[in-house]
């Protein structure tokens, strides 16, 4: 993944911001939010704790690494771009030298514990402690974990080598119910399932993509669906 692509994902919708604040301004901002205001990442960042936090997730597929017919596993590389509002991480830019946004290590702020539900491997949270979350002064939060996903995919090869396969990546807030974290997609006119930076695969063509928010009485999850067509052997 190129550095320019990382920058693009981080600055979605905010490329016009230019900051000239000092280091002391940044220190005062951190002191205010995390010390004076006693920010606690264990508390869901919403004033009404009886309400759910809306979390928007969009999948930026970068590549299909492999579709294993033996194990029925789809391996992909993707960025899951997420956004939510943190009511406890707001400030007036005029008070802090014009700072309109800042970056905090992902382990220092509240974030939804999103996991790939149909993972072929053990369930684990997204991201890495070295990643940052972008915090806008309005409380808007942007998190873009980049990861290789191994998801289960049931295959039907009856029509091989002219077969089509349908695979899913299903993400869910693992330890929260939908009354606490409500999953959504398609924010800011996004397609929900984005292929703008997808690198074509030598064996499979993507012929269709879609996304769907699944809800039951307890949970909310997002299915990202892709339909694949096997390329001719002599392509």
């Amino acid at each position: 993944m190129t550095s320019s692509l990382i920058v693009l994902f981080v600055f979605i919708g905010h490329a016009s911001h230019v900051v000239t604040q000092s280091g002391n301004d940044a220190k005062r901002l951190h002191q205010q939010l995390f010390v004076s205001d006693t920010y606690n990442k264990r508390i869901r960042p919403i004033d009404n704790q009886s309400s759910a936090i809306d979390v928007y997730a969009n999948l930026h597929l970068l590549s299909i690494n492999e579709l294993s017919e033996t194990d029925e596993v789809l391996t992909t590389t993707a960025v899951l771009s997420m956004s939510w509002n943190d009511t406890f991480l707001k400030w007036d830019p005029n008070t802090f030298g014009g700072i309109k946004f800042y970056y905090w290590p992902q382990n220092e702020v509240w974030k939804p514990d999103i996991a790939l539900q149909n993972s072929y491997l053990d369930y684990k949270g997204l991201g890495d402690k070295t990643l940052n979350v972008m915090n806008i002064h309005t409380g808007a939060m942007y998190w873009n974990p980049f990861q290789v996903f191994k998801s289960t995919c049931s295959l039907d090869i009856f029509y091989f080598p002219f077969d089509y396969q349908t695979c899913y990546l299903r993400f869910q807030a693992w330890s929260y119910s939908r009354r606490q974290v409500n999953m959504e997609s398609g924010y800011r006119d996004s397609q929900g399932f984005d292929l703008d930076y997808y690198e074509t695969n030598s064996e499979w063509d993507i012929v269709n993509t879609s996304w769907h928010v699944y809800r039951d009485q307890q949970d909310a999850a997002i299915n990202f669906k892709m339909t694949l067509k096997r390329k001719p052997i002599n392509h």
Side-chain angles (χ1 to χ4, degrees), residues 102-216:
Y102 214 77
Y103 300 92
W104 314 116
Q106 70 165 45
N107 290 340
E108 292 187 7
V109 299
W110 182 92
K111 63 184 187 303
D113 59 341
I114 305 296
L116 180 64
Q117 190 182 66
N118 63 325
S119 174
Y120 178 71
L121 305 173
D122 294 336
Y123 295 114
K124 63 178 182 178
L126 299 180
D128 182 86
K129 63 182 180 180
T130 61
L131 292 180
N132 291 330
V133 177
M134 185 182 190
N135 180 192
I136 311 299
H137 68 94
T138 59
M141 309 293 286
Y142 296 90
W143 182 39
N144 304 289
F146 164 75
Q147 207 148 316
V148 175
F149 298 104
K150 287 184 175 290
S151 54
T152 57
C153 181
S154 298
L155 303 182
D156 182 356
I157 58 174
F158 182 81
Y159 294 102
F160 176 90
F162 306 106
D163 51 319
Y164 290 76
Q165 305 296 338
T166 299
C167 298
Y168 301 85
L169 281 81
R170 187 176 187 179
F171 295 94
Q172 178 181 339
W174 198 247
S175 62
Y176 290 105
S177 73
R178 59 176 293 195
R179 294 176 177 83
Q180 297 169 311
V181 171
N182 181 49
M183 301 294 294
E184 297 285 356
S185 191
Y187 70 94
R188 292 184 177 271
D189 299 323
S190 171
Q191 301 174 20
F193 198 137
D194 178 68
L195 297 176
D196 286 350
Y197 296 93
Y198 174 72
E199 296 183 3
T200 57
N201 181 270
S202 60
E203 296 183 41
W204 298 92
D205 282 327
I206 298 178
V207 296
N208 187 48
T209 63
S210 63
W211 60 269
H212 172 71
V213 178
Y214 167 82
R215 295 184 178 89
D216 59 22

Side-chain angles (χ1 to χ4, degrees), residues 36-166:
S36 300
D37 293 345
T38 62
Y39 181 84
N40 190 334
K41 67 180 182 181
R42 295 176 177 82
I43 305 299
R44 283 190 312 121
I46 189 170
D47 286 326
N48 184 356
Q49 290 289 304
S50 298
S51 297
I53 294 179
D54 291 330
V55 174
Y56 292 86
N58 294 282
L59 187 71
H60 304 268
L61 184 65
L62 304 181
S63 66
I64 293 175
N65 304 343
E66 182 185 13
L67 180 56
S68 171
E69 297 169 11
T70 302
D71 297 325
E72 293 191 308
V73 173
L74 174 68
T75 304
T76 55
T77 300
V79 174
L80 190 66
S81 178
M82 282 176 279
S83 175
W84 63 93
N85 189 73
D86 192 318
T87 194
F88 304 139
L89 291 177
K90 297 180 180 181
W91 68 90
D92 179 1
N94 295 324
T95 305
F96 299 96
I99 296 178
K100 294 183 177 180
F101 62 89
Y102 214 77
Y103 300 92
W104 314 116
Q106 70 165 45
N107 290 340
E108 292 187 7
V109 299
W110 182 92
K111 63 184 187 303
D113 59 341
I114 305 296
L116 180 64
Q117 190 182 66
N118 63 325
S119 174
Y120 178 71
L121 305 173
D122 294 336
Y123 295 114
K124 63 178 182 178
L126 299 180
D128 182 86
K129 63 182 180 180
T130 61
L131 292 180
N132 291 330
V133 177
M134 185 182 190
N135 180 192
I136 311 299
H137 68 94
T138 59
M141 309 293 286
Y142 296 90
W143 182 39
N144 304 289
F146 164 75
Q147 207 148 316
V148 175
F149 298 104
K150 287 184 175 290
S151 54
T152 57
C153 181
S154 298
L155 303 182
D156 182 356
I157 58 174
F158 182 81
Y159 294 102
F160 176 90
F162 306 106
D163 51 319
Y164 290 76
Q165 305 296 338
T166 299

